[in-house]
Amino acid sequence: MVALLATAAGTAHAVDNLPPNQPLVRDLQSGGKPCATGDATPYVSQSPRLSAVLYDPEEDNQPAEASPVKGEFEAWWTDAAGVEQRRAYTTTYALNSGSTQYWSMPSGIPANTVISWHVRANDTKATSPWSDEGDGSVCSFVYDDTSPEKPAISSPEYPGDELWTDGVGVYGHFTVDSPSDDVVSYQYEFIGGPFGTVSAERPGAAVTVPYLPLTSGFQQMSVQAVDRSGRISGPSYYGFRVKSGRAPVARWKLDDPAGSGSASAETGTSARAGSGVTFGGPAPSRTTETATANLDGSDQGFLTTDTAATDTGKSFAVSAWVRPAGTDRDMTVASQDADGAPGFGLGLRAEDSGPVWSFAIGGAQVSGGAPETGEWAQLLGLYDAETGRARLYVNGHEVGTAVEATPAGTDGAFQIGRARTASGYGEPWHGDIGDVQVHDRVVVPGEATELAWRKPKLLGHWSLENAVDGVSPEQSDGAPLRLGTGASIYRSSDDSCIPEIDPDCAYVPPALVGDGHLSLDGETGYAAADGPVVDTGDSFTLGVVVRLADSEPARPMTVLSQAGEHTDAFKVRYDPSTYRWQLVMPERDEAGAPEKVVSQIEGADGGEGQGHRLAVVYDDGTDTIKLYLDGYTNAEATTSLPDGWHSGGALQIGRAKVGDGWGEYLHGDVDEVQAYAGALRDSDVLGLGWGTDPYLG
């Protein structure tokens, strides 16, 4: 083609061709690593493929007459005899401007030798300057043919021997060091996690990996060294044994006899009580607690040890069971004095948006959860000195967002029910407090969950194996279920009935679970308790096995419900229009009230198979509802319900409240109705619907 060149005076001249552009350093790579030389020379683990993006001037690249270019590479080094060696390569094909050109270096290049290279572009009529001419730079690399040696691993906290060492919630620091002086990082993994890569400060330097054991037992760390070329050593293994977490350094159960003037300490120092403290109060149900202390909210409603309970400059945790008598002002559950302020404070904050639980340390605060007057909660504030972060757990679940915190420099007296201020003590607690614990370590999530555990109580288990005069008994002689018209107990064949042997024996298909189940006609059939079975204003769990008779139901059908005065407090139903089982919970006892609905997709049974195990779990402590299908839940089947309400209607099997009457009658079979006070854990829900209590086997 003919291109135009402009002179300084602005006159254009025609030329036949413009030479290609000089390759830029930024467009060059050695084995995928950027072009560099000197101290920044990259190391590679195999003979590299050199690459360069080459350009011809735009004037030479009009679509009608594109000018492709080739790459001319040249590499050189000094061999062991001190003689310079050179190799050259020109790409086979000319490629369009802007394309990447490659040279795969021959396999015989020497190891541990600086090899330099440059490149230029050739459009068959002219060549560009070499990439290292003028302001350019030579590229270098070193081929490393030796993998690093395995690293050694050691830990002062967890020696690698047969000793069992403290423990869950106590950090270990694992020093990793390879004898090879070119190692730049280490890849590590612990059984069950975590895993990652940590870089050395300089080649050959050792690294330290912190690790927090979450469970007791045998643990193992595996590590591989990575050198600057990317070569990886064989793995090293380091086994160690972790004890269970240390007991609290201070604990006041606050279950002292009524009239006591102080709280005895299970560990630590006893706490003297102000005159506003009354012992012998109620304890949270379904826990191991037997009594609590009531604080009247006055300046005398406190307990104190007059000494520090923990060193706030190190990791620690403080926890307690609490029940506020009100939520309209700031109140402190536990604190420890510092200079005119609390070194930390665990309690309740009455914010403009509503009350929240709070843990504050050194000016930083994390908050979350929703305190309710007269409702028990288990609180745990944690400061992790290794990470410098504060966390808050409410009822065994982390709430809010962990924050960076710097503890106060001094540790004063430990306080229950008040906090130090510049003018004295304030924020007095009004309500009940029980089982205050202080740990001098991290309390890990599993332990936080266990501290807040409230074992569900079985309220009723109806196996629906039989019925006498329309009444099906509860397994432990509790309140029975009464069968309505259109409901009957189906009984399967005796195991000895084998039609092939005894022609007079008529085989009957097995029941859903055990020897019998409840059959409902879809028109008038139902079963009901004599009154409410679960308290829908508190945590509860219900399980049931159900099989729909129709493969394409014509309308919604309800398997479980419990009504209030104007609407159901909950109902579990099948919606054929969406092919989903639904849990529906109105937010209040009003006709047309907003509803929380969660669901699980599943086709109708058509009377075949062994049905499905459904479970409803309402956790008042975390304000969540979940619907489980065959033992499992998911995000679509989980949502929040901040305020459950108490319903006075009877538990219904096979129908729901519709207007002023009943409807959504179930056509199908029902078995294994189980009811609990309290929220079952995910692992326990798996045990529902098999004929046994998950807690008894």
Side-chain angles (χ1 to χ4, degrees):
M1 67 172 290
V2 176
L4 297 179
L5 285 181
T7 66
T11 303
H13 296 273
V15 296
D16 290 335
N17 182 70
L18 295 176
N21 296 340
Q22 180 182 12
L24 300 176
V25 170
R26 70 187 184 195
D27 294 330
L28 312 181
Q29 291 188 337
S30 303
K33 298 182 178 181
C35 172
T37 192
D39 291 341
T41 296
Y43 283 68
V44 296
S45 59
Q46 58 186 4
S47 295
R49 185 169 72 160
L50 311 182
S51 66
V53 181
L54 305 179
Y55 294 91
D56 205 31
E58 292 184 7
E59 293 85 351
D60 281 358
N61 283 281
Q62 301 304 315
E65 301 179 59
S67 179
V69 295
K70 290 185 176 184
E72 296 181 357
F73 292 84
E74 189 174 54
W76 62 93
W77 63 90
T78 300
D79 64 17
V83 178
E84 182 180 84
Q85 300 291 329
R86 283 186 174 266
R87 301 288 187 274
Y89 173 77
T90 299
T91 56
T92 304
Y93 302 102
L95 303 177
N96 289 339
S97 175
S99 299
T100 302
Q101 311 268 11
Y102 297 99
W103 177 21
S104 294
M105 294 291 292
S107 59
I109 61 172
N112 303 313
T113 301
V114 176
I115 298 177
S116 300
W117 64 278
H118 58 194
V119 65
R120 66 184 179 183
N122 185 334
D123 67 1
T124 72
K125 295 182 180 180
T127 58
S128 73
W130 287 102
S131 56
D132 56 346
E133 291 185 37
D135 293 332
S137 173
V138 70
C139 299
S140 301
F141 66 87
V142 175
Y143 165 51
D144 182 355
D145 65 347
T146 304
S147 295
E149 294 186 49
K150 293 181 179 181
I153 308 171
S154 62
S155 170
E157 296 90 357
Y158 294 98
D161 52 30
E162 297 298 317
L163 293 177
W164 287 84
T165 311
D166 275 340
V168 170
V170 176
Y171 276 94
H173 299 85
F174 296 80
T175 299
V176 182
D177 191 9
S178 169
S180 301
D181 61 6
D182 61 345
V183 169
V184 295
S185 65
Y186 294 90
Q187 297 175 351
Y188 69 89
E189 181 175 3
F190 292 88
I191 296 175
F195 58 87
T197 300
V198 59
S199 299
E201 289 187 2
R202 61 185 183 282
V207 300
T208 298
V209 179
Y211 169 69
L212 181 67
L214 302 181
T215 58
S216 61
F218 177 78
Q219 181 56 268
Q220 181 174 265
M221 181 188 194
S222 62
V223 186
Q224 291 178 281
V226 183
D227 69 16
R228 54 195 166 188
S229 74
R231 285 184 172 272
I232 300 176
S233 74
S236 292
Y237 298 98
Y238 185 86
F240 55 100
R241 289 165 171 78
V242 181
K243 287 183 179 180
S244 298
R246 288 197 303 264
V249 292
R251 183 178 188 181
W252 304 269
K253 292 183 68 66
L254 301 182
D255 57 357
D256 303 85
S260 298
S262 65
S264 60
E266 187 172 281
T267 54
T269 306
S270 62
R272 62 181 176 88
S275 59
V277 177
T278 302
F279 291 101
S285 61
R286 307 190 316 279
T287 69
T288 58
E289 311 305 318
T290 58
T292 60
N294 180 268
L295 282 61
D296 65 5
S298 72
D299 61 0
Q300 289 299 306
F302 71 91
L303 299 99
T304 182
T305 61
D306 296 317
T307 59
T310 188
D311 181 352
T312 57
K314 300 177 180 179
S315 295
F316 73 92
V318 56
S319 62
W321 280 100
V322 300
R323 184 171 68 163
T327 59
D328 57 348
R329 63 176 177 85
D330 294 351
M331 298 192 295
T332 295
V333 173
S335 68
Q336 186 162 286
D337 297 350
D339 292 331
F344 68 82
L346 178 68
L348 182 153
R349 292 289 173 266
E351 299 184 349
D352 292 341
S353 57
V356 293
W357 297 114
S358 168
F359 178 59
I361 178 170
Q365 176 177 299
V366 56
S367 58
E372 295 183 34
T373 298
E375 183 173 297
W376 285 104
Q378 208 280 341
L379 307 182
L380 185 144
L382 168 67
Y383 173 65
D384 185 336
E386 186 80 24
T387 63
R389 288 183 168 271
R391 300 179 183 274
L392 174 64
Y393 292 81
V394 177
N395 295 317
H397 299 268
E398 186 173 2
V399 299
T401 302
V403 296
E404 298 284 344
T406 302
T410 59
D411 293 314
F414 185 77
Q415 309 289 337
I416 298 174
R418 66 180 183 178
R420 184 77 178 179
T421 68
S423 58
Y425 289 100
E427 300 181 1
W429 178 263
H430 187 199
D432 302 310
I433 300 179
D435 198 12
V436 178
Q437 300 187 37
V438 180
H439 287 79
D440 64 344
R441 60 176 178 85
V442 173
V443 172
V444 301
E447 293 176 312
T449 299
E450 199 62 31
L451 282 171
W453 174 235
R454 301 178 74 172
K455 182 178 179 179
K457 176 184 177 183
L458 182 64
L459 301 174
H461 182 178
W462 296 271
S463 58
L464 299 168
E465 300 280 314
N466 52 67
V468 178
D469 296 330
V471 177
S472 186
E474 195 273 331
Q475 277 194 355
S476 300
D477 296 325
L481 293 178
R482 301 187 185 279
L483 279 57
T485 304
S488 61
I489 296 297
Y490 170 92
R491 295 284 297 178
S492 57
S493 296
D494 187 287
D495 290 341
S496 63
C497 174
I498 304 176
E500 291 82 358
I501 298 176
D502 182 0
D504 296 329
C505 173
Y507 174 75
V508 179
L512 292 180
V513 181
D515 296 328
H517 62 237
L518 177 68
S519 289
L520 302 173
D521 65 1
E523 297 178 0
T524 60
Y526 73 95
D530 292 333
V533 171
V534 295
D535 180 357
T536 54
D538 202 350
S539 299
F540 71 87
T541 300
L542 280 165
V544 67
V545 179
V546 59
R547 178 175 62 194
L548 299 176
D550 305 309
S551 58
E552 296 184 8
R555 55 174 175 77
M557 293 185 287
T558 292
V559 62
L560 293 175
S561 70
Q562 187 168 296
E565 184 177 353
H566 302 288
T567 187
D568 288 313
F570 72 86
K571 62 180 175 182
V572 180
R573 70 174 190 171
Y574 188 76
D575 180 10
S577 66
T578 60
Y579 302 99
R580 290 178 180 271
W581 282 102
Q582 297 177 332
L583 167 60
V584 181
M585 294 189 72
E587 295 181 12
R588 51 186 178 270
D589 191 7
E590 297 176 6
E595 296 174 332
K596 295 286 189 177
V597 181
V598 295
S599 62
Q600 293 246 39
I601 191 166
E602 183 64 47
D605 304 292
E608 298 181 351
Q610 291 305 109
H612 295 284
R613 293 176 295 120
L614 300 177
V616 175
V617 176
Y618 170 50
D619 189 340
D620 189 39
T622 58
D623 294 330
T624 55
I625 57 173
K626 297 180 180 180
L627 175 65
Y628 293 77
L629 176 67
D630 294 327
Y632 297 95
T633 188
N634 55 46
E636 279 190 64
T638 304
T639 192
S640 62
L641 184 69
D643 297 303
W645 49 275
H646 302 279
S647 58
L651 177 67
Q652 304 288 328
I653 316 299
R655 67 178 183 177
K657 196 173 184 66
V658 176
D660 294 329
W662 298 100
E664 296 190 359
Y665 284 92
L666 183 92
H667 185 205
D669 305 317
V670 178
D671 210 346
E672 286 299 305
V673 178
Q674 293 169 272
Y676 291 83
L680 266 67
R681 297 171 291 196
D682 289 352
S683 57
D684 298 325
V685 170
L686 287 166
L688 293 176
W690 301 107
T692 60
D693 176 4
Y695 298 106
L696 299 177

